[in-house]
PDB file of all heavy atoms in Angstrom:
ATOM      1  N   ALA F 135     -23.271  18.778   0.735  1.00 97.00           N
ATOM      2  CA  ALA F 135     -22.764  17.645  -0.059  1.00 97.00           C
ATOM      3  C   ALA F 135     -23.980  16.704  -0.425  1.00 97.00           C
ATOM      4  O   ALA F 135     -24.001  16.227  -1.550  1.00 97.00           O
ATOM      5  CB  ALA F 135     -21.816  16.793   0.782  1.00 97.00           C
ATOM      6  N   LEU F 136     -24.920  16.631   0.447  1.00 97.00           N
ATOM      7  CA  LEU F 136     -26.138  15.763   0.123  1.00 97.00           C
ATOM      8  C   LEU F 136     -27.005  16.514  -0.903  1.00 97.00           C
ATOM      9  O   LEU F 136     -27.583  15.770  -1.739  1.00 97.00           O
ATOM     10  CB  LEU F 136     -26.789  15.382   1.404  1.00 97.00           C
ATOM     11  CG  LEU F 136     -26.045  14.305   2.149  1.00 97.00           C
ATOM     12  CD1 LEU F 136     -26.435  14.311   3.676  1.00 97.00           C
ATOM     13  CD2 LEU F 136     -26.293  13.000   1.627  1.00 97.00           C
ATOM     14  N   ALA F 137     -27.159  17.764  -0.825  1.00 96.00           N
ATOM     15  CA  ALA F 137     -27.874  18.542  -1.856  1.00 96.00           C
ATOM     16  C   ALA F 137     -27.279  18.330  -3.166  1.00 96.00           C
ATOM     17  O   ALA F 137     -27.951  18.135  -4.202  1.00 96.00           O
ATOM     18  CB  ALA F 137     -27.892  20.029  -1.527  1.00 96.00           C
ATOM     19  N   GLU F 138     -25.958  18.304  -3.293  1.00 95.00           N
ATOM     20  CA  GLU F 138     -25.276  18.068  -4.622  1.00 95.00           C
ATOM     21  C   GLU F 138     -25.572  16.788  -5.208  1.00 95.00           C
ATOM     22  O   GLU F 138     -25.525  16.705  -6.467  1.00 95.00           O
ATOM     23  CB  GLU F 138     -23.773  18.225  -4.407  1.00 95.00           C
ATOM     24  CG  GLU F 138     -23.302  19.608  -4.732  1.00 95.00           C
ATOM     25  CD  GLU F 138     -21.775  19.845  -4.402  1.00 95.00           C
ATOM     26  OE1 GLU F 138     -21.021  18.863  -4.708  1.00 95.00           O
ATOM     27  OE2 GLU F 138     -21.427  20.857  -3.898  1.00 95.00           O
ATOM     28  N   VAL F 139     -25.931  15.773  -4.437  1.00 97.00           N
ATOM     29  CA  VAL F 139     -26.235  14.521  -5.001  1.00 97.00           C
ATOM     30  C   VAL F 139     -27.826  14.289  -4.997  1.00 97.00           C
ATOM     31  O   VAL F 139     -28.241  13.165  -5.183  1.00 97.00           O
ATOM     32  CB  VAL F 139     -25.558  13.290  -4.328  1.00 97.00           C
ATOM     33  CG1 VAL F 139     -24.025  13.411  -4.574  1.00 97.00           C
ATOM     34  CG2 VAL F 139     -25.861  13.236  -2.843  1.00 97.00           C
ATOM     35  N   GLY F 140     -28.506  15.384  -4.818  1.00 97.00           N
ATOM     36  CA  GLY F 140     -29.900  15.377  -5.055  1.00 97.00           C
ATOM     37  C   GLY F 140     -30.723  14.912  -3.940  1.00 97.00           C
ATOM     38  O   GLY F 140     -31.897  14.455  -4.230  1.00 97.00           O
ATOM     39  N   THR F 141     -30.256  15.034  -2.752  1.00 97.00           N
ATOM     40  CA  THR F 141     -31.048  14.653  -1.571  1.00 97.00           C
ATOM     41  C   THR F 141     -30.922  15.700  -0.527  1.00 97.00           C
ATOM     42  O   THR F 141     -30.367  16.758  -0.748  1.00 97.00           O
ATOM     43  CB  THR F 141     -30.701  13.177  -1.093  1.00 97.00           C
ATOM     44  OG1 THR F 141     -31.636  12.805  -0.026  1.00 97.00           O
ATOM     45  CG2 THR F 141     -29.333  13.082  -0.642  1.00 97.00           C
ATOM     46  N   THR F 142     -31.531  15.436   0.635  1.00 97.00           N
ATOM     47  CA  THR F 142     -31.527  16.398   1.724  1.00 97.00           C
ATOM     48  C   THR F 142     -30.616  15.795   2.881  1.00 97.00           C
ATOM     49  O   THR F 142     -30.324  14.647   2.862  1.00 97.00           O
ATOM     50  CB  THR F 142     -32.867  16.725   2.314  1.00 97.00           C
ATOM     51  OG1 THR F 142     -33.371  15.453   2.870  1.00 97.00           O
ATOM     52  CG2 THR F 142     -33.849  17.315   1.265  1.00 97.00           C
ATOM     53  N   LEU F 143     -30.345  16.664   3.724  1.00 97.00           N
ATOM     54  CA  LEU F 143     -29.446  16.209   4.906  1.00 97.00           C
ATOM     55  C   LEU F 143     -30.244  15.117   5.641  1.00 97.00           C
ATOM     56  O   LEU F 143     -29.617  14.080   5.930  1.00 97.00           O
ATOM     57  CB  LEU F 143     -29.153  17.426   5.813  1.00 97.00           C
ATOM     58  CG  LEU F 143     -28.354  17.161   7.077  1.00 97.00           C
ATOM     59  CD1 LEU F 143     -27.057  16.529   6.736  1.00 97.00           C
ATOM     60  CD2 LEU F 143     -28.168  18.427   7.887  1.00 97.00           C
ATOM     61  N   GLU F 144     -31.477  15.356   5.911  1.00 97.00           N
ATOM     62  CA  GLU F 144     -32.197  14.445   6.758  1.00 97.00           C
ATOM     63  C   GLU F 144     -32.430  13.078   6.018  1.00 97.00           C
ATOM     64  O   GLU F 144     -32.144  11.990   6.572  1.00 97.00           O
ATOM     65  CB  GLU F 144     -33.626  15.019   7.140  1.00 97.00           C
ATOM     66  CG  GLU F 144     -33.569  16.035   8.163  1.00 97.00           C
ATOM     67  CD  GLU F 144     -33.068  17.453   7.478  1.00 97.00           C
ATOM     68  OE1 GLU F 144     -32.988  17.493   6.227  1.00 97.00           O
ATOM     69  OE2 GLU F 144     -32.763  18.400   8.331  1.00 97.00           O
ATOM     70  N   ALA F 145     -32.824  13.197   4.711  1.00 98.00           N
ATOM     71  CA  ALA F 145     -33.089  11.921   3.868  1.00 98.00           C
ATOM     72  C   ALA F 145     -31.813  11.217   3.749  1.00 98.00           C
ATOM     73  O   ALA F 145     -31.780   9.892   3.819  1.00 98.00           O
ATOM     74  CB  ALA F 145     -33.806  12.255   2.605  1.00 98.00           C
ATOM     75  N   GLY F 146     -30.753  11.919   3.431  1.00 98.00           N
ATOM     76  CA  GLY F 146     -29.372  11.206   3.134  1.00 98.00           C
ATOM     77  C   GLY F 146     -28.940  10.514   4.442  1.00 98.00           C
ATOM     78  O   GLY F 146     -28.456   9.387   4.431  1.00 98.00           O
ATOM     79  N   ALA F 147     -29.070  11.203   5.560  1.00 98.00           N
ATOM     80  CA  ALA F 147     -28.627  10.636   6.887  1.00 98.00           C
ATOM     81  C   ALA F 147     -29.416   9.415   7.147  1.00 98.00           C
ATOM     82  O   ALA F 147     -28.918   8.404   7.614  1.00 98.00           O
ATOM     83  CB  ALA F 147     -28.733  11.677   8.006  1.00 98.00           C
ATOM     84  N   GLU F 148     -30.689   9.527   6.895  1.00 98.00           N
ATOM     85  CA  GLU F 148     -31.554   8.357   7.134  1.00 98.00           C
ATOM     86  C   GLU F 148     -31.271   7.170   6.252  1.00 98.00           C
ATOM     87  O   GLU F 148     -31.181   6.015   6.722  1.00 98.00           O
ATOM     88  CB  GLU F 148     -33.007   8.811   6.804  1.00 98.00           C
ATOM     89  CG  GLU F 148     -34.116   7.970   7.497  1.00 98.00           C
ATOM     90  CD  GLU F 148     -34.001   7.864   8.918  1.00 98.00           C
ATOM     91  OE1 GLU F 148     -33.769   8.820   9.677  1.00 98.00           O
ATOM     92  OE2 GLU F 148     -34.225   6.721   9.437  1.00 98.00           O
ATOM     93  N   ARG F 149     -30.837   7.436   5.040  1.00 98.00           N
ATOM     94  CA  ARG F 149     -30.524   6.349   4.156  1.00 98.00           C
ATOM     95  C   ARG F 149     -29.199   5.652   4.572  1.00 98.00           C
ATOM     96  O   ARG F 149     -29.085   4.471   4.626  1.00 98.00           O
ATOM     97  CB  ARG F 149     -30.394   6.855   2.712  1.00 98.00           C
ATOM     98  CG  ARG F 149     -30.172   5.686   1.680  1.00 98.00           C
ATOM     99  CD  ARG F 149     -30.695   5.829   0.301  1.00 98.00           C
ATOM    100  NE  ARG F 149     -31.099   7.098  -0.141  1.00 98.00           N
ATOM    101  CZ  ARG F 149     -30.633   7.685  -1.262  1.00 98.00           C
ATOM    102  NH1 ARG F 149     -29.748   7.058  -1.990  1.00 98.00           N
ATOM    103  NH2 ARG F 149     -31.077   8.819  -1.690  1.00 98.00           N
ATOM    104  N   ILE F 150     -28.288   6.497   4.958  1.00 98.00           N
ATOM    105  CA  ILE F 150     -26.999   5.981   5.321  1.00 98.00           C
ATOM    106  C   ILE F 150     -27.088   5.228   6.705  1.00 98.00           C
ATOM    107  O   ILE F 150     -26.511   4.158   6.854  1.00 98.00           O
ATOM    108  CB  ILE F 150     -25.922   7.128   5.401  1.00 98.00           C
ATOM    109  CG1 ILE F 150     -25.657   7.669   4.048  1.00 98.00           C
ATOM    110  CG2 ILE F 150     -24.622   6.629   6.127  1.00 98.00           C
ATOM    111  CD1 ILE F 150     -24.748   8.921   3.981  1.00 98.00           C
ATOM    112  N   TYR F 151     -27.968   5.727   7.594  1.00 98.00           N
ATOM    113  CA  TYR F 151     -28.228   5.084   8.830  1.00 98.00           C
ATOM    114  C   TYR F 151     -28.742   3.678   8.601  1.00 98.00           C
ATOM    115  O   TYR F 151     -28.337   2.623   9.124  1.00 98.00           O
ATOM    116  CB  TYR F 151     -29.263   5.907   9.550  1.00 98.00           C
ATOM    117  CG  TYR F 151     -29.954   5.294  10.753  1.00 98.00           C
ATOM    118  CD1 TYR F 151     -29.267   4.997  11.913  1.00 98.00           C
ATOM    119  CD2 TYR F 151     -31.347   4.937  10.670  1.00 98.00           C
ATOM    120  CE1 TYR F 151     -29.869   4.401  13.010  1.00 98.00           C
ATOM    121  CE2 TYR F 151     -31.929   4.413  11.711  1.00 98.00           C
ATOM    122  CZ  TYR F 151     -31.253   4.104  12.943  1.00 98.00           C
ATOM    123  OH  TYR F 151     -31.840   3.508  13.994  1.00 98.00           O
ATOM    124  N   SER F 152     -29.683   3.566   7.674  1.00 98.00           N
ATOM    125  CA  SER F 152     -30.284   2.224   7.355  1.00 98.00           C
ATOM    126  C   SER F 152     -29.266   1.335   6.683  1.00 98.00           C
ATOM    127  O   SER F 152     -29.174   0.108   6.956  1.00 98.00           O
ATOM    128  CB  SER F 152     -31.627   2.407   6.663  1.00 98.00           C
ATOM    129  OG  SER F 152     -31.586   1.806   5.423  1.00 98.00           O
TER     130      SER F 152
END
Side-chain angles (χ1 to χ4, degrees):
L136 285 157
E138 265 175 40
V139 295
T141 184
T142 62
L143 178 59
E144 291 75 11
E148 198 56 42
R149 187 151 13 129
I150 292 172
Y151 166 69
S152 119

